[in-house]
Amino acid sequence: MKEAFPKTLLPDFQHIDPKQIKDNINDLLNKNLTMIDKLLEQNGSYFGDNLMQPLEDMSDALHKTWSPVAHLHSVKETEALRKAYNETLPLITAYHTRLSQNTRLFEAISSIAERTDFKKLLPAQQKIIENDIRDFKLAGVHLSPEKKSRMAELQQQLSKLCTKFSENLLDATHGWTLHVTDENDISGLPPQARQLAIDNAKQRKLPGYVFTLDFPSYSTAVKFLDNRELRQKLYAAYTTRASDQGPNAGKWDNTHNIEAILKTRYDTAKLIGHESFAHYSLATKMAKQPEKVLSFLNDLLQRSKPIAKKEFDEIKTYAKKRDDIDDIAAWDVAYYSEKLQHEKFDFTQEDFRPYFPINKVLNGLFTLVNRIYGIHIKEEKNISTWDPQTRFFALYDSNDELRAGFYIDLFSRQHKRDGAWMDECLTRRKLSDGSIQYPVAYLTCNFMRPVDDQPALLTHDDVITLFHEFGHCLHHMLTKVDFLSISGINGVPWDAVEFPSQFMENFCWEKEPLSLISAHYKTGESLPDALYQKMVDAKHFQTGIQMIRQLEFALFDFRLHLAFDPDQPPQTQKILDEIRKETAVLKPPAFNRFQHSFAHIFAGGYAAGYYSYKWAEVLSADAYAQFEENGIFDPLTGKSFMENILEVGGSRDPMTSFVAFKGREPSIDALLRRSGIG
Ligand code: ZN
């Protein structure tokens, strides 16, 4: 009998009262600050037990109280919660700044590194001390009191600006819909998307069909609607969200937020003595110098641009042949790509939906990781969540020992932030009584919700997204590190974080895993060979275009943070336009304000770090090649990946971990091969 996940360790989402959040957090912060002062009054020397462990206890207590609030703010926002979040966030920011600028605390931690017996500590413990010393310096512990207070101000500003950026984006995404009543207007739309549009209209008590700017609704509409004018309307509304352009121009405009965020980051970097925020950002990453990042991205661009150009010419020729279109526009690209793919390979993403009902996909995914890592996953009912469709699972190792838990919240809905991500609810660590705190993850996606009494049906792209996020979850959940700050994804350099996630995507292209996760929701038949073959044949369809799109985002983010100069007039659009000259195969219309919804870099952790996706893909492709060589279910290869990569978290340098698994440093060849641009 397996031990059930102890419910008492989980947050009670039903009873989080927005009115109490600020006071609760405030009390906790004050308690922590008093305890830190007490710790620093100790006589004698510092070590793990009398400094590091109590510090970790405090930071865990704060995380456990704040994480459910921050999570709800992302997935089930209410006015009261937004207000409470915005009132509380400055307190937390101030607390972190105060801690990271505390000279006495810095000296106490540094004194451990100077002890003669420092090297006797576990390598993981040494790593924590080294990371802390680095981070104290990056936070300005050495600055004069005036500069320290300037730094504190900057951090407050930044956190406010980023929150505002994402609030504007959420409001703008939900602040526009397209309502049509004529059946002809929805011509071309596949059944699931049609049903969603009807459902959206019903929810609003309207006749006919409603399209929203939520990704599942928008992306299928712009890909399938035969009506070019409607596609244009949708594209214009989507790509001008939260900007000075489009149907809601100026209403939730992020223009000033973007400039202010860049300026605040620039000032932070300068205060610490770095040339730019890009330099500052690299201080904690694998790629140490900007030149390394730029040459990596430019090399990939050189290799993929000619392929992307050829792919685009094919779309143009096809649109001309099919519909006599001479002036192909940005809102036509997804539409004709889909039709072209259909003509060349005789399938669409929608053909997959009936074969990927959500429960089959999840059970198949759990069987897959059981075969690779020997772990077992079991659903737990009656766990308090924030939405009736959210589920909770417990994870056991091959000895049936409870190791972790995770929530999954898969469907798009109102008041939920767009996109897919993993976040931490609880982090693994050893508590002062010697027991282990189990890690718990939040897995969040925005798939098309189940409509019309059918189970939720996924596309192959959705399946890849789910595998990706589950890869992050495994990294978080399978860690064996006992210390909070380097356990799971903590302390892992940002440009290595996407390694375990992108690694998982590879399995979505293999026959056996696909047969585990597919069963027609009516007939039970698994993915037919013919459809599988078509998918494999089409694997490299437009990979050049996809590659340069990612490179455009990465180059824009990096060069923007590298070149930002407050003495110049705003450069953001100019830099984006310059990069697009090198990357884009089709110049986007002048009203396009993609940057105003680029939450990864303006509201998330990817600033001067979006390149991480490609950087880590080199690692993931090369690691997966090892599985291809030894057999994708080879238990020894699985064990080695689990032990050398997933279990060690941030406790050692990712290059050391990679070499331990692969036997050599990573090479770009596997990525090129995988992308069909080798
Ligand atoms: Zn990811």
Side-chain angles (χ1 to χ4, degrees):
M1 189 62 186
K2 289 174 188 163
E3 178 195 354
F5 197 98
K7 277 183 209 161
T8 49
L9 300 180
L10 297 170
D12 186 359
F13 287 100
Q14 296 298 324
H15 295 99
I16 292 177
D17 179 3
K19 284 195 233 72
Q20 289 175 357
I21 292 171
K22 190 181 168 191
D23 288 345
N24 285 350
I25 293 281
N26 201 26
D27 290 349
L28 184 59
L29 296 177
N30 286 330
K31 200 173 121 205
N32 280 3
L33 289 171
T34 313
M35 273 189 16
I36 291 169
D37 282 343
K38 258 205 199 121
L39 283 179
L40 294 174
E41 280 162 16
Q42 293 177 91
N43 289 320
S45 58
Y46 292 107
F47 218 40
D49 289 353
N50 66 356
L51 185 66
M52 302 314 281
Q53 177 84 31
L55 283 175
E56 196 164 82
D57 291 343
M58 284 181 245
S59 107
D60 195 32
L62 174 58
H63 176 79
K64 280 196 279 205
T65 316
W66 183 240
S67 151
V69 174
H71 184 65
L72 281 188
H73 179 251
S74 293
V75 298
K76 199 185 182 180
E77 208 199 27
T78 59
E79 221 170 283
L81 187 70
R82 180 183 282 197
K83 188 168 167 276
Y85 182 89
N86 282 330
E87 282 173 0
T88 315
L89 189 62
L91 304 178
I92 296 183
T93 311
Y95 169 82
H96 284 306
T97 308
R98 208 166 143 181
L99 232 62
S100 59
Q101 291 188 346
N102 185 329
T103 316
R104 281 168 67 209
L105 184 59
F106 170 67
E107 281 163 0
I109 293 176
S110 302
S111 74
I112 302 179
E114 283 148 20
R115 286 170 63 129
T116 46
D117 53 357
F118 177 62
K119 291 282 167 203
K120 283 191 192 144
L121 288 174
L122 295 169
Q125 289 171 305
Q126 296 179 33
K127 184 88 169 70
I128 297 173
I129 308 276
E130 285 158 11
N131 285 356
D132 277 355
I133 293 173
R134 176 198 70 193
D135 295 343
F136 268 103
K137 288 180 183 163
L138 287 172
V141 73
H142 291 304
L143 296 176
S144 65
E146 299 80 55
K147 284 185 173 170
K148 271 185 179 169
S149 73
R150 172 79 184 126
M151 182 61 122
E153 227 174 85
L154 288 172
Q155 297 322 301
Q156 285 294 354
Q157 264 171 29
L158 188 61
S159 95
K160 258 192 214 143
L161 288 164
C162 292
T163 307
K164 191 66 197 156
F165 183 97
S166 98
E167 284 175 1
N168 279 343
L169 180 57
L170 188 69
D171 292 346
T173 302
H174 295 143
W176 186 91
T177 55
L178 177 67
H179 177 218
V180 294
T181 47
D182 190 341
E183 182 76 20
N184 291 327
D185 282 339
I186 60 147
S187 147
L189 209 60
Q192 294 294 318
R194 184 174 183 277
Q195 206 49 54
L196 182 70
I198 293 173
D199 219 49
N200 280 335
K202 272 190 197 150
Q203 277 188 0
R204 291 166 178 78
K205 304 200 167 32
L206 292 169
Y209 313 91
V210 164
F211 297 101
T212 70
L213 297 180
D214 279 319
F215 194 71
S217 176
Y218 168 74
S219 62
T220 42
V222 87
K223 202 189 270 181
F224 289 103
L225 286 179
D226 292 328
N227 186 326
R228 196 179 186 202
E229 230 172 276
L230 291 185
R231 291 203 309 268
Q232 178 177 3
K233 261 191 189 166
L234 281 158
Y235 173 90
Y238 189 78
T239 60
T240 56
R241 280 176 302 156
S243 80
D244 58 329
Q245 299 285 321
N248 278 322
K251 195 163 177 192
W252 295 287
D253 191 356
N254 270 333
T255 308
H256 293 299
N257 289 329
I258 291 176
E259 292 309 315
I261 287 169
L262 290 169
K263 166 95 168 75
T264 313
R265 286 182 182 148
Y266 173 86
D267 289 347
T268 302
K270 280 284 174 187
L271 211 50
I272 302 300
H274 285 268
E275 226 171 285
S276 72
F277 185 77
H279 289 82
Y280 183 76
S281 150
L282 292 189
T284 53
K285 296 192 168 71
M286 268 179 98
K288 291 280 173 236
Q289 298 90 25
E291 298 71 36
K292 246 186 161 169
V293 175
L294 290 173
S295 69
F296 169 69
L297 294 173
N298 284 322
D299 174 40
L300 279 176
L301 181 62
Q302 295 315 320
R303 292 172 193 255
S304 37
K305 184 71 188 281
I307 298 168
K309 258 192 181 146
K310 232 197 256 161
E311 289 166 356
F312 183 65
D313 286 342
E314 202 184 357
I315 305 175
K316 260 195 338 204
T317 314
Y318 177 74
K320 171 77 184 159
K321 189 185 90 184
R322 189 176 188 272
D323 290 338
D324 200 23
I325 299 267
D326 285 312
D327 56 338
I328 191 160
W331 45 89
D332 299 322
V333 176
Y335 179 78
Y336 286 107
S337 296
E338 175 68 30
K339 297 277 175 287
L340 177 63
Q341 185 181 32
H342 195 224
E343 189 172 291
K344 281 179 86 164
F345 304 101
D346 191 31
F347 77 96
T348 83
Q349 273 293 324
E350 296 301 309
D351 295 342
F352 289 102
R353 282 198 198 270
Y355 294 98
F356 291 134
I358 186 65
N359 278 339
K360 180 67 191 174
V361 175
L362 284 178
N363 290 332
L365 171 59
F366 300 161
T367 307
L368 174 83
V369 292
N370 170 260
R371 287 184 59 185
I372 305 171
Y373 305 124
I375 56 179
H376 300 270
I377 290 163
K378 190 175 145 265
E379 182 160 14
E380 300 254 353
K381 303 275 187 187
N382 307 319
I383 300 268
S384 161
T385 67
W386 51 93
D387 179 83
Q389 287 180 325
T390 297
R391 297 157 72 180
F392 184 87
F393 297 85
L395 185 149
Y396 303 85
D397 64 17
S398 52
N399 302 319
D400 280 347
E401 298 278 345
L402 180 63
R403 286 279 291 276
F406 60 101
Y407 296 90
I408 56 168
D409 174 5
L410 297 176
F411 307 112
S412 162
R413 62 173 177 267
Q414 271 202 311
H415 309 298
K416 178 175 170 184
R417 192 152 65 79
D418 210 359
W421 69 91
M422 188 286 283
D423 207 350
E424 301 166 57
C425 174
L426 291 174
T427 304
R428 181 192 154 102
R429 68 188 199 99
K430 194 180 253 177
L431 304 174
S432 19
D433 66 5
S435 66
I436 293 291
Q437 171 169 292
Y438 303 112
V440 174
Y442 303 114
L443 193 168
T444 312
C445 294
N446 269 285
F447 300 145
M448 198 182 276
R449 64 177 182 266
V451 277
D452 211 19
D453 294 334
Q454 278 179 1
L457 303 172
L458 308 189
T459 63
H460 185 240
D461 286 345
D462 292 340
V463 170
I464 293 175
T465 302
L466 178 67
F467 273 54
H468 176 104
E469 298 309 332
F470 195 65
H472 283 307
C473 289
L474 288 177
H475 199 188
H476 176 66
M477 297 191 295
L478 289 179
T479 191
K480 278 196 168 167
V481 176
D482 290 339
F483 311 98
L484 188 76
S485 64
I486 50 169
S487 147
I489 58 166
N490 292 292
V492 176
W494 200 274
D495 41 6
V497 162
E498 298 296 335
F499 170 18
S501 53
Q502 298 188 110
F503 168 79
M504 279 302 290
E505 295 179 19
N506 292 288
F507 292 97
C508 301
W509 294 94
E510 303 275 359
K511 197 164 170 119
E512 244 189 298
L514 281 169
S515 71
L516 291 176
I517 61 168
S518 65
H520 194 285
Y521 77 106
K522 279 184 181 154
T523 65
E525 177 202 4
S526 69
L527 192 72
D529 283 350
L531 189 53
Y532 172 70
Q533 198 46 53
K534 287 174 192 173
M535 181 187 110
V536 171
D537 293 344
K539 188 177 177 187
H540 294 149
F541 179 68
Q542 295 190 350
T543 44
I545 289 180
Q546 284 158 23
M547 175 72 91
I548 56 163
R549 202 176 131 79
Q550 284 300 310
L551 293 173
E552 179 178 305
F553 299 164
L555 280 165
F556 167 62
D557 160 50
F558 202 78
R559 292 217 326 229
L560 185 65
H561 285 103
L562 188 63
F564 179 82
D565 180 350
D567 297 330
Q568 299 279 327
Q571 301 281 300
T572 308
Q573 190 67 49
K574 193 171 151 249
I575 290 177
L576 183 56
D577 292 342
E578 274 170 25
I579 286 163
R580 280 177 170 164
K581 267 188 213 143
E582 298 163 33
T583 56
V585 282
L586 173 68
K587 199 173 160 225
F591 63 72
N592 177 302
R593 289 287 182 275
F594 148 76
Q595 67 274 30
H596 288 66
S597 58
F598 197 6
H600 272 87
I601 69 163
F602 292 120
Y606 288 83
Y610 195 84
Y611 76 90
S612 300
Y613 281 103
K614 282 293 153 210
W615 187 271
E617 206 180 340
V618 172
L619 307 180
S620 68
D622 205 9
Y624 190 72
Q626 194 72 28
F627 280 80
E628 288 175 315
E629 239 170 73
N630 303 348
I632 57 164
F633 290 114
D634 178 54
L636 283 181
T637 315
K639 190 166 179 275
S640 166
F641 191 77
M642 182 162 76
E643 289 175 355
N644 286 309
I645 310 287
L646 299 175
E647 286 180 0
V648 299
S651 68
R652 67 179 181 193
D653 177 52
M655 187 59 90
T656 311
S657 297
F658 186 89
V659 173
F661 170 72
K662 183 83 190 184
R664 60 157 171 76
E665 294 207 348
S667 122
I668 199 173
D669 299 344
L671 169 65
L672 296 176
R673 209 169 49 237
R674 184 180 183 268
S675 317
I677 56 173

